[in-house]
Amino acid sequence: MTPRPPSRPSSDPAAATPDADVPPTFLPAARSEDEQDAPPAQRTGPDPEAEAAAARAVEPARKTSRAKPAGASVTDAPEAGEAAAAAAKKPAAKKAGTKKTTAKKTAAKKTTARASATKPAKTTAAKKTTAARPAAQKTAAPKAAVPKAAGTATPRAAVSKAVVPEPKGGVRAAPPLGDTDRGRLLSGTHHDPHALLGAHPVRGGVLFRALRPYALSVAVLAKGLRAELHDEGDGLFAGVLPLSEIPDYQLVITYGEGPDAHEITVHDPYRFLPAIGELDLHLIGEGRHEELWQALGARIMEHEGVTGTRFTVWAPNAQGVRVAGNMNYWDGTVYPMRSLGSTGVWELFIPGLGEGELYKFDIARPDGSHTLRIDPMARRTECPPANASVIDVTRHEWGDAEWMARRAERPVHTSPLSVYEVHLPSWRPGLSYRELAEQLPAYVKDLGFTHVELMPVAEHPFGGSWGYQVTGFYAPTARLGSPDDFKYLIDALHRADIGVIMDWVPAHFPRDDWALAEFDGRPLYEHEDPARAAHPDWGTLEFDYGRTEVRNFLVANAVYWCSEFHIDGLRVDAVASMLYLDYSREHGEWTPNEHGGRENLDAVDFLQEMNATVYRRCPGVVTIAEESTAWDGVTRATHHVGPGGFGGLGFGLKWNMGWMHDSLEYMAKEPVHRKYHHNEMTFSMVYAYSENYVLPISHDEVVHGKRSLVSKMPGDWWQQRANHRAYLGFMWSHPGKQLLYMGQEFAQGAEWSEGHGPDWWLLDPAYSAEPDHRGVRDLVRELNRLYSATPALWERDTDPGGFSWIDGGAWEDNVFSFVRYDAAGDPLVAVCNFSPVVRHEYRLGMPENVPAWREVLNTDEERFGGSGVINPGPLKAEPVPYHGRAVSIAPVLPPLATVWLRPAG
């Protein structure tokens, strides 16, 4: 599928445009090889530091506390408004143009200034004449949204003439960094940059050190003083001030010279204590953090009185981690993160950084090389093929409280569940999440489906994978809009009384070198054994389910979708490939488990933990396994041990792949040959109650040469449609829940393609065969209407007492007849005639105590496109024993049709 044109990740069109105060002179000369995948839009930003909008400074010695999340706007930081106001007053466009023409010249000046050892005194003297910030900027500005600008920039020429003096005794040179610390800091391999940068008490005062590549000078600004730090080279600035304690301070950073010179005033990221709590770190280490997305990733918050973004990432094998993004032109030098001990978590709070910023993590591998990686916990991404992570804030206000309150009232096993499976990007190509919200709920509601199942919406780089090769496990795909837009769609479906099931893919992930594969330089999310890590079928990598942090990543992800996006069900993809060590592997290509078996015990533990956690935390949610083998206990409770010695996997439902394959195999046969395959339609009842089943006619059955459902049927066009209708009638009356893929509800003849989606033109009244397709869709609507209104068809799906054959052995006639019962014992009789002949007075033994029956559904009705052979009046029960029953009726069976009968009256 051709991706939609990339859009900016922020609702503000200017959110990622470069700040005019930052001359291109100070851009890095070239980006590393790992950065080349970023499109030009990623390489712009507000300034080379992307510092915070100036906000109230707080004593850094304050006690550690769990950081408080910030809201959608900065209501407690008036300086944020000042930053925006100051930025708005600057002649940005004109200044930017000037910078571009003087880039080489300015760079030369910067180099000369840093190389000279005789000029600091002169430079310092010049700075003393620089006045304090205008008084107008010190007043409280109106409350504003979280600013994109990272600092308050002021042209040097606009600075007031009032002098802010340096402290008595001046600024002494700081003790130089040792070569080891200096080298590790500059190369991004230091585990604790906060020990070197920021403010620290020393003998005779307070030592300040800042790492500001491309800056001309850096000064410390506090109440009553402004002191220039000494340039130590390589972007390091330091000095010792004769102070008795660390003050509330900010940094004033000067870029450029002459007419291009300007200053920004920022909070120092290295004056803050860790913004993640000890409990979070403990739970991460234990692999038991059920709200992991609240602890890891990029999160806008208020920390020590300052609003900004906290970055945290799990990378235990890394030598160092830095934050890179459009805020610093993808040069992470200025933002090294600190390691938080044995947890493997790295952390950095960047003041003032807000919504819409693009970022990645610059990771120093164990061998010293660097790799630029997305945030595994990113809740928003760029639109593919771009792949940067995006800082995001949700503003969606849910309107589905009524749905959420009652979705857990009745177990799904004893409730109607009729699912319309949808590939969102191609259902109506070109529609966004919000546009889909205007059309999809109305369409699904009209057809009577109770749920939709969305093919994977988690971010994926290749549209042709249909979403099954995920790179952004916590981010809805940006192809159709923002995370809030996706929430809007789910909200609209819920308000239309339609549940939402989402395909979830914890079985594998792609090898893209900017995503999870060898994330920190060594196998991390994948198994360390290459033979265990490589998925043999799809060229992807399998998760290491035995590693607690990886299992936590996936379990929390399941909870995340259900709690944050109000998802009502998770259909778990490719469960069989997870359960077996020898899946698609030949002898000698796999290693038995500790008991000598082929079961993947780690995967079993993971699935049990995931299901138990989801059901405990998210009442009313159902998990559904796509599992194609005879594994015992897929839908059995985890604490109930089966004959194989395993507890159940704990799923709520399982796709009945056996029923699907057998019944489609039967339907593909010419009617004259079907009698030899009669058992393929009856065999499913042998195991129908071994699990809790869904009957799936999914996307997998209508692609890759398998043909659409109607095209699988034999005969001419009329017979194909008749078979199609009869099969749907059989499917809706068979024990189990229903699932039908889009396009099959109106008998689309072509295979589905993600490039153009369903052939909606078949329903155009101008098309001559439109009544044929509309008739099938009308049948689906009627099937769903009767299904939801008839408890016998769903209330005892998992109870053998809810089903009884009338005649399962009429192989010569190609006829199947059976009874479904609800909890009160009320029956529905289904009779399927899969031969192209009319069968008059076809006698059937019927349940007693029902004096007459009426036809409630006939797939051969003319309104559905059939021949109109029906039973118009009541069918009276006669005292003629048949099929082992005391009474019987003799209806007419239409050709290639399914008939439903209910008690008359």
Side-chain angles (χ1 to χ4, degrees):
M1 180 178 83
T2 304
R4 297 169 68 244
S7 58
R8 296 310 311 151
S10 172
S11 58
D12 178 7
T17 56
D19 191 316
D21 290 323
V22 184
T25 305
F26 304 118
L27 283 172
R31 305 175 73 224
S32 71
E33 182 177 349
D34 281 337
E35 296 176 84
Q36 297 304 319
D37 60 343
Q42 294 184 22
R43 295 192 290 274
T44 61
D47 56 65
E49 315 297 335
E51 309 289 4
R56 181 168 52 87
V58 174
E59 174 61 47
R62 181 177 294 173
K63 289 185 177 180
T64 306
S65 63
R66 179 98 180 245
K68 182 175 68 175
S73 61
V74 180
T75 58
D76 299 320
E79 287 107 327
E82 298 175 14
K89 295 178 181 180
K90 294 180 289 186
K94 182 176 178 181
K95 189 171 290 185
T98 304
K99 295 167 191 171
K100 289 181 180 179
T101 62
T102 62
K104 293 183 179 179
K105 182 175 179 181
T106 309
K109 291 181 179 180
K110 174 187 167 194
T111 303
T112 303
R114 289 186 175 181
S116 174
T118 59
K119 294 183 179 180
K122 181 178 179 181
T123 302
T124 302
K127 299 296 181 289
K128 289 182 180 179
T129 65
T130 303
R133 297 165 58 83
Q137 293 191 15
K138 296 182 181 180
T139 60
K143 296 177 181 179
V146 176
K148 178 185 191 308
T152 303
T154 308
R156 290 292 295 276
V159 176
S160 161
K161 293 183 179 180
V163 176
V164 178
E166 287 192 358
K168 283 187 177 182
V171 180
R172 294 187 286 110
L177 287 178
D179 291 343
T180 300
D181 279 340
R182 185 185 185 94
R184 291 174 60 199
L185 183 62
L186 296 175
S187 65
T189 59
H190 205 290
H191 69 286
D192 189 13
H194 290 69
L196 308 180
L197 303 175
H200 303 276
V202 295
R203 183 185 296 273
V206 176
L207 184 153
F208 294 85
R209 178 173 281 112
L211 177 58
R212 302 292 166 182
Y214 322 119
L216 181 68
S217 65
V218 176
V220 173
L221 184 66
K223 185 176 181 179
L225 70 85
R226 170 173 172 157
E228 298 286 340
L229 300 179
H230 297 283
D231 187 343
E232 295 185 330
D234 296 318
L236 287 165
F237 297 84
V240 176
L241 277 65
L243 303 173
S244 59
E245 60 182 12
I246 298 174
D248 290 344
Y249 76 96
Q250 294 174 288
L251 298 177
V252 181
I253 307 166
T254 303
Y255 294 101
E257 291 185 290
D260 290 333
H262 69 280
E263 295 177 347
I264 61 170
T265 302
V266 300
H267 285 283
D268 185 358
Y270 297 93
R271 51 158 288 200
F272 294 93
L273 294 168
I276 182 172
E278 291 295 329
L279 178 59
D280 287 320
L281 294 175
H282 173 75
L283 292 174
I284 291 171
E286 292 288 317
R288 297 291 180 181
H289 204 307
E290 295 176 0
E291 293 185 350
L292 190 63
W293 65 93
Q294 302 285 13
L296 296 181
R299 186 180 181 204
I300 296 176
M301 63 185 349
E302 182 181 298
H303 180 47
E304 297 185 10
V306 177
T307 300
T309 297
R310 181 201 66 195
F311 293 89
T312 44
V313 62
W314 179 60
N317 298 310
Q319 288 196 52
V321 183
R322 302 183 290 193
V323 179
N326 60 351
M327 80 291 286
N328 56 15
Y329 295 100
W330 299 94
D331 180 355
T333 305
V334 70
Y335 288 143
M337 304 174 73
R338 64 178 147 203
S339 173
L340 299 180
S342 61
T343 63
V345 175
W346 299 76
E347 182 266 354
L348 180 65
F349 175 74
I350 302 181
L353 207 58
E355 182 180 6
E357 290 286 351
L358 308 182
Y359 72 98
K360 289 185 180 181
F361 293 115
D362 175 358
I363 297 175
R365 301 183 179 103
D367 64 1
S369 63
H370 283 255
T371 179
L372 200 60
R373 298 297 178 121
I374 60 170
D375 182 357
M377 304 294 299
R379 286 181 269 183
R380 187 175 178 183
T381 69
E382 282 193 292
C383 183
N387 55 45
S389 303
V390 183
I391 300 174
D392 188 56
V393 173
T394 183
R395 294 183 175 83
H396 180 75
E397 296 183 5
W398 289 96
D400 63 348
E402 183 181 349
W403 169 272
M404 295 295 287
R406 60 183 169 82
R407 75 176 181 180
E409 289 178 353
R410 186 165 190 165
V412 67
H413 316 94
T414 59
S415 303
L417 184 72
S418 177
V419 182
Y420 183 60
E421 188 186 17
V422 178
H423 179 251
L424 284 178
S426 68
W427 183 72
R428 294 273 173 84
L431 297 187
S432 67
Y433 290 128
R434 290 184 179 268
E435 291 166 338
L436 283 163
E438 302 302 317
Q439 299 186 33
L440 183 61
Y443 183 81
V444 176
K445 185 73 171 179
D446 175 63
L447 291 184
F449 288 98
T450 66
H451 289 69
V452 293
E453 179 176 316
L454 308 180
M455 289 172 67
V457 294
E459 192 60 270
H460 50 283
F462 177 51
S465 75
W466 313 333
Y468 288 98
Q469 295 197 10
V470 177
T471 50
F473 281 82
Y474 284 78
T477 180
R479 292 170 174 84
L480 307 181
S482 70
D484 273 2
D485 294 337
F486 183 52
K487 291 179 180 178
Y488 182 87
L489 170 60
I490 297 171
D491 211 345
L493 288 162
H494 282 172
R495 284 184 275 111
D497 288 327
I498 298 165
V500 181
I501 299 168
M502 185 185 101
D503 279 15
W504 187 54
V505 191
H508 63 129
F509 58 93
R511 295 174 178 267
D512 300 76
D513 60 6
W514 44 267
L516 298 186
E518 294 192 353
F519 181 75
D520 59 3
R522 289 179 181 164
L524 188 64
Y525 289 92
E526 65 270 43
H527 201 281
E528 62 181 0
D529 180 355
R532 286 278 299 272
H535 198 292
D537 289 345
W538 305 315
T540 52
L541 296 169
E542 298 181 4
F543 283 101
D544 182 359
Y545 305 108
R547 186 159 192 165
T548 56
E549 296 91 344
V550 174
R551 193 163 61 240
N552 193 174
F553 173 80
L554 293 171
V555 171
N557 187 240
V559 175
Y560 169 75
W561 289 108
C562 298
S563 58
E564 293 289 317
F565 289 88
H566 292 193
I567 293 292
D568 305 296
L570 297 173
R571 178 268 193 184
V572 183
D573 183 64
V575 171
S577 74
M578 303 165 63
L579 290 175
Y580 296 98
L581 296 169
D582 62 344
Y583 184 86
S584 287
R585 294 177 171 92
E586 300 297 331
H587 180 72
E589 295 179 346
W590 61 281
T591 303
N593 63 34
E594 60 193 69
H595 305 295
R598 64 193 186 108
E599 299 85 3
N600 187 337
L601 303 180
D602 293 335
V604 171
D605 288 344
F606 157 67
L607 291 171
Q608 290 175 329
E609 181 181 347
M610 181 276 297
N611 281 311
T613 305
V614 167
Y615 279 107
R616 174 170 50 82
R617 292 187 60 100
C618 309
V621 168
V622 61
T623 60
I624 307 169
E626 187 217 12
E627 205 284 314
S628 56
T629 74
W631 183 279
D632 175 58
V634 172
T635 59
R636 190 172 61 236
T638 58
H639 60 282
H640 289 168
V641 178
F646 292 101
L649 296 183
F651 284 94
L653 296 168
K654 171 183 172 176
W655 273 21
N656 195 334
M657 309 295 281
W659 171 89
M660 178 270 296
H661 284 295
D662 290 345
S663 61
L664 289 180
E665 185 73 17
Y666 174 88
M667 294 303 298
K669 298 291 189 293
E670 292 286 347
V672 69
H673 300 303
R674 284 175 175 168
K675 63 181 180 180
Y676 303 110
H677 300 272
H678 196 81
N679 65 312
E680 292 178 2
M681 292 291 268
T682 61
F683 181 64
S684 60
M685 291 310 303
V686 173
Y687 60 86
Y689 302 103
S690 62
E691 302 281 4
N692 306 325
Y693 283 116
V694 174
L695 309 179
I697 300 299
S698 71
H699 64 279
D700 277 331
E701 310 318 314
V702 295
V703 291
H704 299 327
K706 296 179 183 177
R707 298 175 294 175
S708 67
L709 183 58
V710 73
S711 296
K712 297 176 191 291
M713 306 301 172
D716 59 22
W717 174 232
W718 188 94
Q719 290 180 326
Q720 284 184 309
R721 287 184 294 115
N723 275 300
H724 183 102
R725 294 192 304 268
Y727 181 74
L728 292 179
F730 168 74
M731 173 180 173
W732 254 252
S733 56
H734 190 285
K737 310 307 180 183
Q738 323 301 324
L739 180 140
L740 189 67
Y741 190 59
M742 64 183 194
Q744 313 315 301
E745 77 273 18
F746 57 84
Q748 172 177 315
E751 284 190 340
W752 167 67
S753 167
E754 76 277 1
H756 58 73
D759 291 335
W760 296 109
W761 58 271
L762 296 172
L763 297 169
D764 187 340
Y767 176 54
S768 60
E770 180 268 343
D772 297 343
H773 299 279
R774 175 168 43 83
V776 175
R777 188 169 67 169
D778 289 345
L779 170 64
V780 171
R781 182 186 295 109
E782 185 68 3
L783 285 169
N784 278 324
R785 184 187 71 80
L786 289 170
Y787 171 78
S788 294
T790 309
L793 292 173
W794 43 262
E795 197 169 36
R796 299 176 73 181
D797 272 333
T798 60
D799 178 4
F803 177 91
S804 176
W805 282 111
I806 293 175
D807 188 359
W811 56 275
E812 284 283 3
D813 301 330
N814 295 344
V815 173
F816 305 85
S817 53
F818 50 89
V819 189
R820 299 290 307 278
Y821 297 96
D822 65 17
D826 295 331
L828 177 140
V829 170
V831 186
C832 307
N833 177 19
F834 288 113
S835 62
V837 297
V838 179
R839 300 194 182 278
H840 297 279
E841 297 185 354
Y842 194 85
R843 190 158 294 278
L844 299 166
M846 301 295 281
E848 299 180 22
N849 303 322
V850 178
W853 299 80
R854 64 185 174 91
E855 189 176 88
V856 294
L857 176 80
N858 187 326
T859 65
D860 194 50
E861 289 185 54
E862 290 182 354
R863 60 176 172 148
F864 303 141
S867 61
V869 178
I870 62 173
N871 294 277
L875 297 166
K876 293 183 179 180
E878 300 171 345
V880 178
Y882 214 76
H883 293 134
R885 299 174 186 267
V887 298
S888 61
I889 61 174
V892 58
L893 300 187
L896 298 175
T898 293
V899 174
W900 291 356
L901 304 170
R902 294 206 65 191

